[in-house]
Amino acid sequence: MITIREVAERAQTSIATVSRVLNNLDGYSEQTKVKVLKAAEELGYESNAIARSMIIKKTNTIGVVFPNISSMITYEFLNGIEDVTYKNDFSVIVSYTYSQPERMMKALRTLYEKRVDGIIFTSDEVTDDYLNYLEKIDIPVVFLSTKSEKSTIPYVKVNDFAAAFDAVDYLIKNEHTNIGLIAGNPDDTIAGIPRIEGYKAALKKAGLPVREEFIRYGYDFSFNDGKSRFEDLINENPDITAVFAVSDEMASGAITAAHQMGIDIPGQISIMGYDNTMISEVAYPALTTLAQPLRKMGSEAVKLLIKMIKGDQFKEEVVLDHSVIERQSVKKRNKSES
Amino acid sequence: MITIREVAERAQTSIATVSRVLNNLDGYSEQTKVKVLKAAEELGYESNAIARSMIIKKTNTIGVVFPNISSMITYEFLNGIEDVTYKNDFSVIVSYTYSQPERMMKALRTLYEKRVDGIIFTSDEVTDDYLNYLEKIDIPVVFLSTKSEKSTIPYVKVNDFAAAFDAVDYLIKNEHTNIGLIAGNPDDTIAGIPRIEGYKAALKKAGLPVREEFIRYGYDFSFNDGKSRFEDLINENPDITAVFAVSDEMASGAITAAHQMGIDIPGQISIMGYDNTMISEVAYPALTTLAQPLRKMGSEAVKLLIKMIKGDQFKEEVVLDHSVIERQSVKKRNKSES
DNA sequence: TTGTAAGCGTTATCAT
DNA sequence: ATGATAACGCTTACAA
């Protein structure tokens, strides 16, 4: 491996000077600059970031931990993250934890050992263990699509409660009154409970009853989850005319179930998704869905993180806007039919 | 930051000894071991991988470069990769290059500067520039879903030619004779040309004519690509009864176009995809598709890479099996109808 | 403008 | 079994 030392020899100068010109500092003549650059070029020298990191105590690397969320969401987040890390010359180490505590702890520990400059903690429940560790290692962290009441760690999120509220409200505005919910896990304080509460709140605000039998709880926001919950839900409640599924994958699972059950979407039942991932376009009929600005969430999270790394310690909380994307899976209910 | 030095002080021993017990070497008594471990524990010491890397010249990190391919493919690859990096205690740095040469070169250079132990180069055309650089830096590389004739760098792939051949052959076995192709970019030597050639070869082998007007070329394997190509193709060739699209995204775009054109799938036209990503399940009708073992491809690639990193220099070429996954978008043609 | 030398936090080689 | 100490490849005072 070519080192700065060899460059110095060839350029007949000292390593200090080589370091200076290579880092665009000052304190050398134009002449030596040329000599050094030439020598470096000829030797094909490339600096060793490891050695530099030892001294400057910065790695220009951040870590991102993902649980086991939808492929499309992960992808969008990562793209948004990459957009800005690229511009800021940061590298990103990604770890999938599958929401397993041991994997998460190992991932966090590894990131710390490798001395990443910051961490983006994505979409997962923040346990005390995680929080304690994050506080102990004391490096900048931002939560993406999650948060913790117990800490002051900044986050970037959508307001899940408000988003679910708006989704259900949209269904209500389309004259639906018997609205089913395919929910997340009711123990999930991040993407589970707030969306359930949003659903209930929208119903209440419209003077509609909240009927527990209209709610089905899923586990992992998956296609199969949505599919089997939908079957259950509709079989036991034939009077439902619209269902809100709290992820696009679940919603498309519901659509597939409907096809198999011979139910016309949106003719007989309207279905609304959540996320606005690519799936909502691919589904047939295309999904009307509650859009999260996934990519932007990723990029905002790194922007915030980099600010913190650079020393601006003001801890913000970024709540991004959501919106309803109208496609074909929701139809205004024809009251005369019922 | 707590260093080994502070641990040594607290344990009243030398840094050398601390290093020894922390690394499970030998050369210390049980007694000192206990002392050291206790001190480390109390101080909350965590080793500094940067410093270690300086000496051992290993970072236990690999780099993965992705162009701008389908979200699902990226996700599956990454998952496969993570599965084995996790077990082998490697971290992975990912970079998206969007197939832009400058971004690719920068990504490669950064990976080298950070002294990754190996690189997985994914799905992109391998230019001379890339190859020269990879050879120059001389670290283990494996190509994933791509390869280069000009180098001996090992790869893991599916045989695209044979896969496309089998896909079209499947259509032929279902009595289709007028088979359209929604192809990739004809300049793409990796996922473009081989699949086109596979299509043609299957036709020829069956004694069917290769008609250029049955072929439409896309750019990026995307949904919209598939959608507009399908419209074109069918409008100009109403006699086509089956089309093979070289990606699931394209195939689902084709299905959506068909819905809009009032064409029944597979009643009037059969559609076959390629990849077997999640999309093929979500599409309606669910896509019959040519499956690549995406996740396995990812994990095999790292396995190979890690072998190379560990010093086993035997350079393999891994060609993984593909298969046809039958779902609902292909139907046996009823000859009497035509 | 330039060079010497002291680190950075480890591992590894020597003595002891 | 243990401890000095020399690396590793750089950046950065401090001198000159």
Side-chain angles (χ1 to χ4, degrees):
Chain A
M1 198 178 50
I2 309 293
T3 73
I4 207 180
R5 177 155 273 109
E6 302 173 56
V7 177
E9 272 172 30
R10 176 176 261 258
Q12 303 190 84
T13 179
S14 70
I15 60 169
T17 297
V18 172
S19 176
R20 287 188 193 101
V21 350
L22 260 23
N23 288 297
N24 273 313
L25 304 178
D26 40 27
Y28 47 84
S29 65
E30 184 61 25
Q31 196 192 17
T32 53
K33 174 178 177 179
V34 172
K35 269 197 310 186
V36 169
L37 257 20
K38 182 157 169 286
E41 172 68 29
E42 289 170 354
L43 291 169
Y45 171 80
E46 310 227 23
S47 73
N48 183 329
I50 299 290
R52 177 184 307 114
S53 290
M54 271 228 70
I55 304 207
I56 66 175
K57 291 176 178 321
K58 288 260 162 283
T59 50
N60 267 283
T61 303
I62 66 167
V64 183
V65 292
F66 288 110
N68 184 19
I69 53 172
S70 144
S71 56
M72 249 84 44
I73 295 181
T74 304
Y75 180 78
E76 294 295 331
F77 280 166
L78 217 40
N79 262 283
I81 290 169
E82 270 274 336
D83 283 349
V84 359
T85 49
Y86 173 74
K87 289 190 193 113
N88 289 271
D89 288 308
F90 275 81
S91 299
V92 5
I93 294 181
V94 331
S95 313
Y96 289 95
T97 65
Y98 299 92
S99 291
Q100 296 168 19
E102 328 78 60
R103 274 188 88 137
M104 174 63 90
M105 285 309 297
K106 183 180 172 192
L108 259 22
R109 213 179 318 269
T110 301
L111 291 176
Y112 179 60
E113 281 187 1
K114 300 207 170 156
R115 296 301 189 263
V116 294
D117 297 334
I119 293 177
I120 294 182
F121 183 109
T122 308
S123 312
D124 208 357
E125 202 89 23
V126 184
T127 69
D128 286 352
D129 277 356
Y130 303 163
L131 212 51
N132 289 338
Y133 189 71
L134 290 175
E135 269 157 16
K136 176 192 156 195
I137 62 181
D138 191 37
I139 66 185
V141 177
V142 357
F143 290 139
L144 173 54
S145 203
T146 186
K147 65 174 179 174
S148 165
E149 305 295 351
K150 298 180 186 163
S151 94
T152 60
I153 292 176
Y155 56 82
V156 1
K157 267 184 100 299
V158 135
N159 182 331
D160 286 65
F161 174 87
F165 182 99
D166 289 347
V168 175
D169 192 54
Y170 175 82
L171 258 11
I172 294 173
K173 288 214 173 72
N174 277 277
E175 313 286 357
H176 292 281
T177 52
N178 291 355
I179 301 171
L181 174 68
I182 298 180
N185 190 316
D187 296 328
D188 174 353
T189 62
I190 304 302
I193 297 172
R195 298 182 194 171
I196 295 168
E197 293 305 320
Y199 159 84
K200 290 181 179 171
L203 254 29
K204 279 181 196 148
K205 193 198 148 215
L208 263 15
V210 172
R211 298 166 57 178
E212 271 301 329
E213 68 272 27
F214 277 9
I215 305 178
R216 288 302 129 106
Y217 301 96
Y219 299 101
D220 53 9
F221 301 92
S222 71
F223 180 85
N224 285 329
D225 227 10
K227 195 171 158 203
S228 51
R229 297 296 162 274
F230 182 86
E231 286 163 4
D232 258 33
L233 184 64
I234 300 306
N235 280 333
E236 295 178 22
N237 302 280
D239 51 335
I240 283 178
T241 65
V243 358
F244 171 44
V246 299
S247 79
D248 283 347
E249 290 197 23
M250 281 175 148
S252 57
I255 287 186
T256 294
H259 285 312
Q260 291 174 359
M261 296 163 84
I263 296 171
D264 180 51
I265 309 293
Q268 294 169 264
I269 297 181
S270 288
I271 293 182
M272 180 142 191
Y274 190 108
D275 285 334
N276 193 36
T277 54
M278 193 197 160
I279 277 192
S280 54
E281 205 176 3
V282 170
Y284 181 76
L287 270 177
T288 290
T289 193
L290 196 294
Q292 300 197 67
L294 269 1
R295 192 159 177 146
K296 176 158 196 188
M297 290 167 78
S299 57
E300 290 300 320
V302 222
K303 280 184 197 164
L304 219 179
L305 187 63
I306 291 180
K307 262 203 232 167
M308 293 167 67
I309 291 171
K310 299 250 153 92
D312 303 2
Q313 276 299 358
F314 54 98
K315 315 212 158 182
E316 304 173 44
E317 284 164 4
V318 181
V319 176
L320 262 19
D321 288 338
H322 57 266
S323 60
V324 171
I325 303 290
E326 299 185 288
R327 279 190 274 253
Q328 280 81 52
S329 66
V330 172
K331 198 188 122 198
K332 199 171 203 101
R333 178 168 146 262
N334 189 336
K335 286 182 180 173
S336 62
E337 281 176 20
S338 60
Chain B
M1 199 180 50
I2 309 294
T3 73
I4 207 178
R5 177 156 274 109
E6 302 172 58
V7 177
E9 272 171 30
R10 177 175 261 258
Q12 304 192 84
T13 179
S14 68
I15 59 168
T17 297
V18 172
S19 177
R20 284 192 270 261
V21 349
L22 260 23
N23 289 295
N24 274 312
L25 304 178
D26 41 27
Y28 48 84
S29 65
E30 183 60 24
Q31 196 191 18
T32 54
K33 174 179 177 178
V34 172
K35 270 198 309 186
V36 168
L37 257 21
K38 183 157 168 286
E41 173 67 29
E42 288 170 355
L43 292 169
Y45 170 80
E46 307 229 23
S47 73
N48 184 329
I50 299 289
R52 177 183 309 114
S53 290
M54 271 228 72
I55 304 212
I56 66 174
K57 292 177 176 323
K58 287 260 164 281
T59 51
N60 267 281
T61 303
I62 66 166
V64 183
V65 291
F66 288 110
N68 184 19
I69 51 170
S70 144
S71 56
M72 249 85 43
I73 295 180
T74 304
Y75 180 78
E76 294 296 330
F77 279 166
L78 217 39
N79 262 283
I81 290 170
E82 270 274 337
D83 282 350
V84 359
T85 50
Y86 173 74
K87 289 192 194 110
N88 289 272
D89 287 308
F90 275 82
S91 299
V92 4
I93 294 181
V94 331
S95 313
Y96 289 96
T97 65
Y98 298 93
S99 291
Q100 297 167 20
E102 329 79 58
R103 275 187 89 138
M104 175 62 91
M105 284 309 297
K106 183 181 170 189
L108 259 22
R109 213 178 319 269
T110 301
L111 290 176
Y112 179 60
E113 280 186 1
K114 300 207 168 153
R115 297 300 189 265
V116 295
D117 297 334
I119 292 177
I120 294 182
F121 183 110
T122 309
S123 312
D124 209 357
E125 202 89 21
V126 184
T127 69
D128 287 352
D129 277 358
Y130 304 162
L131 212 51
N132 289 338
Y133 189 72
L134 291 174
E135 268 158 17
K136 175 192 157 195
I137 62 181
D138 192 37
I139 65 184
V141 176
V142 357
F143 290 138
L144 173 54
S145 203
T146 184
K147 64 173 178 175
S148 165
E149 304 296 350
K150 298 179 187 166
S151 93
T152 60
I153 293 175
Y155 57 82
V156 0
K157 269 182 100 300
V158 135
N159 182 332
D160 286 65
F161 174 86
F165 182 98
D166 289 347
V168 175
D169 193 53
Y170 176 82
L171 259 11
I172 294 171
K173 288 215 173 73
N174 277 276
E175 312 285 357
H176 292 280
T177 53
N178 291 355
I179 301 172
L181 174 68
I182 297 181
N185 191 315
D187 295 329
D188 175 351
T189 62
I190 304 303
I193 297 173
R195 296 182 196 172
I196 295 169
E197 294 306 318
Y199 159 84
K200 290 181 179 172
L203 255 28
K204 280 181 197 147
K205 193 197 148 214
L208 262 16
V210 173
R211 297 165 58 178
E212 272 300 328
E213 68 272 25
F214 277 10
I215 305 179
R216 289 300 130 107
Y217 301 96
Y219 298 102
D220 52 10
F221 301 92
S222 71
F223 181 84
N224 286 328
D225 227 10
K227 197 171 156 200
S228 51
R229 298 295 162 276
F230 182 85
E231 287 163 3
D232 259 32
L233 183 65
I234 299 305
N235 281 332
E236 295 178 23
N237 303 281
D239 51 334
I240 283 178
T241 64
V243 358
F244 171 44
V246 299
S247 80
D248 283 347
E249 291 198 21
M250 282 177 147
S252 57
I255 287 184
T256 295
H259 285 313
Q260 292 174 359
M261 296 164 84
I263 296 171
D264 180 51
I265 310 292
Q268 293 169 263
I269 297 181
S270 288
I271 294 183
M272 180 141 192
Y274 190 109
D275 285 336
N276 194 36
T277 55
M278 195 199 157
I279 277 192
S280 54
E281 205 176 3
V282 170
Y284 181 77
L287 271 176
T288 289
T289 193
L290 195 293
Q292 299 197 66
L294 268 3
R295 193 163 179 141
K296 176 156 196 188
M297 289 166 77
S299 58
E300 289 300 320
V302 220
K303 279 185 198 162
L304 218 181
L305 187 64
I306 290 180
K307 261 203 234 169
M308 292 167 68
I309 291 171
K310 300 249 154 96
D312 302 3
Q313 276 300 1
F314 54 98
K315 315 213 157 181
E316 303 174 44
E317 284 163 6
V318 181
V319 176
L320 263 18
D321 288 338
H322 57 266
S323 60
V324 171
I325 304 290
E326 299 185 287
R327 279 192 273 252
Q328 280 82 51
S329 65
V330 172
K331 197 189 123 195
K332 201 171 201 99
R333 176 166 149 262
N334 189 335
K335 286 185 183 171
S336 61
E337 281 175 22
S338 60

